[in-house]
Amino acid sequence: MSTCATASRTLAEPLAGTAATARTWLLVEQPGPWGRKALTQSRLDPGLGQALDTAASAHGARVALIRRPERHADHSPAAGHRVYLARTVPGDAWVRTARLPGDGGLEALRALDFAAFDDPAAAARGAATAPRWEPYEGDPLALVCTNGKRDRCCALLGRPLAAELAASGGANVWEITHLGGHRFAPTLLVLPHGYAYGRLDAAGVKSVLDAVRDGRMSLEGCRGRSAWDRPGQAADLAVRERIGELRAEAMSVLAVRTGSDGSHRIVTVAHVDGRRWRVVLRERTGGPAVPASCGAEPAGTVRLDVEALDEVERGAGIEESDALEGTEGTAADSR
């Protein structure tokens, strides 16, 4: 049986720069069946699901449903819901959790002010505290995409992975409704840092989780950190690979600019020790045709190729370090 994941793997489609973009994640436990659009097609009140999705999307956040890896029978309306709120920005990465009652308890989530997470002063005033959150200090959160209603690869490859991880222990494993990139299945998001991964087996995921417990990330199968857009994700991973830096909080993306020709992205990446790099990426389209998901028509892929990667002098301004002059001439020497 041909699947989108098989086609993508066969063509060695790059993983870097393909993670879903979100600075903040709201994860809501909702057992039972999920539809294709799970926030409005599940046992969750569709009005609430739509309201949360609209509010989150306006502020660079995402909402997803989660459930434990097990048979997904309907549950009692009185059952409670575990919810997680996570921030994935370097220097401000955290996970909070709450337990809400089943009978209308999720309505408290309407009070969330997603804008406040980008405004420390507002957050300090308590604008983003409802409902009552507690710091999460348990095992890393491993969120495996398994929603077969969106794509069969997520079900065929994601569910066995989630079940195996849950059985082996050492992580807080949940199934999640959607992470994007079905063709990279099995896909997962790991919190607190927010790096996403694809095409990993259980052994590979366990290595990732071991790294997270040690405050690190893993380059194997990494799609990028969700706090940044696609160019930022790709540039972060390129610099990490160049210098061998795996500490999760060591790198930040300071700026992403578009070159004058429209096809280049110039990204400034910074290290906590003060070093900076200029990464020049070329956006290429029309690569090997791959279906975005099972049942979709194959289409040319969009990829970000690293054309230049240079360390810039300390103290240089972002504008100066991001200049595109000389990119074509230095690309071959900068890889």
Side-chain angles (χ1 to χ4, degrees):
M1 178 178 61
S2 178
T3 65
C4 64
T6 300
S8 179
R9 187 186 293 266
T10 299
L11 293 170
E13 186 180 1
L15 289 168
T18 67
T21 298
R23 299 184 299 271
T24 303
W25 291 81
L26 174 63
L27 308 173
V28 181
E29 182 182 10
Q30 183 58 64
W34 295 336
R36 176 177 173 79
K37 298 180 179 180
L39 290 178
T40 56
Q41 298 174 346
S42 68
R43 296 295 182 259
L44 181 71
D45 173 67
L48 175 61
Q50 185 61 62
L52 292 174
D53 187 45
T54 300
S57 298
H59 299 288
R62 287 175 70 105
V63 182
L65 303 185
I66 58 175
R67 63 190 180 194
R68 289 298 190 187
E70 57 190 21
R71 295 187 65 183
H72 304 130
D74 287 342
H75 72 304
S76 167
H81 303 265
R82 174 62 59 185
V83 292
Y84 295 96
L85 187 64
R87 184 77 170 163
T88 63
V89 177
D92 187 30
W94 45 258
V95 179
R96 299 170 186 164
T97 188
R99 182 75 178 176
L100 300 179
D103 292 326
L106 291 178
E107 285 295 318
L109 297 175
R110 290 183 185 270
L112 273 175
D113 181 1
F114 288 98
F117 297 114
D118 287 319
D119 181 355
R125 292 194 301 268
T129 57
R132 188 181 301 276
W133 300 97
E134 298 178 354
Y136 174 74
E137 299 176 347
D139 287 324
L141 284 168
L143 304 147
V144 183
C145 188
T146 64
N147 190 358
K149 292 293 185 180
R150 289 194 70 98
D151 190 274
R152 64 184 178 185
C153 286
C154 295
L156 293 174
L157 300 175
R159 287 179 184 169
L161 174 63
E164 184 172 353
L165 293 173
S168 63
N172 190 353
V173 183
W174 295 85
E175 297 184 0
I176 190 170
T177 48
H178 186 48
L179 292 175
H182 314 297
R183 62 191 185 279
F184 305 121
T187 63
L188 73 150
L189 176 72
V190 182
L191 295 171
H193 307 300
Y195 278 96
Y197 296 85
R199 297 181 188 148
L200 291 180
D201 58 15
V205 175
K206 290 174 184 176
S207 294
V208 169
L209 297 175
D210 286 341
V212 173
R213 278 187 285 271
D214 206 23
R216 297 177 292 115
M217 53 81 69
S218 174
L219 289 171
E220 181 186 1
C222 192
R223 300 175 61 195
R225 187 166 186 160
S226 76
W228 302 311
D229 61 10
R230 293 186 64 241
Q233 294 171 12
D236 168 53
L237 296 179
V239 173
R240 284 183 177 279
E241 186 171 6
R242 168 70 67 86
I243 68 174
E245 178 60 80
L246 297 180
R247 287 176 296 170
E249 297 298 283
M251 311 296 297
S252 294
V253 174
L254 298 185
V256 178
R257 303 179 186 276
T258 300
S260 58
D261 61 359
S263 65
H264 285 90
R265 302 293 182 269
I266 307 99
V267 186
T268 302
V269 179
H271 195 282
V272 290
D273 65 9
R275 287 179 291 167
R276 289 185 180 183
W277 292 263
R278 184 193 70 163
V279 184
V280 179
L281 306 164
R282 179 187 286 274
E283 185 175 276
R284 302 183 188 275
T285 58
V290 179
S293 60
C294 290
E297 289 296 322
T301 57
V302 178
R303 57 186 291 168
L304 291 166
D305 293 332
V306 178
E307 289 204 341
L309 197 168
D310 301 290
E311 187 171 356
V312 299
E313 294 184 6
R314 296 185 184 228
I318 291 177
E319 292 284 354
E320 178 182 348
S321 67
D322 284 351
L324 189 55
E325 296 176 1
T327 295
E328 298 296 335
T330 60
D333 296 330
S334 303
R335 286 188 176 275

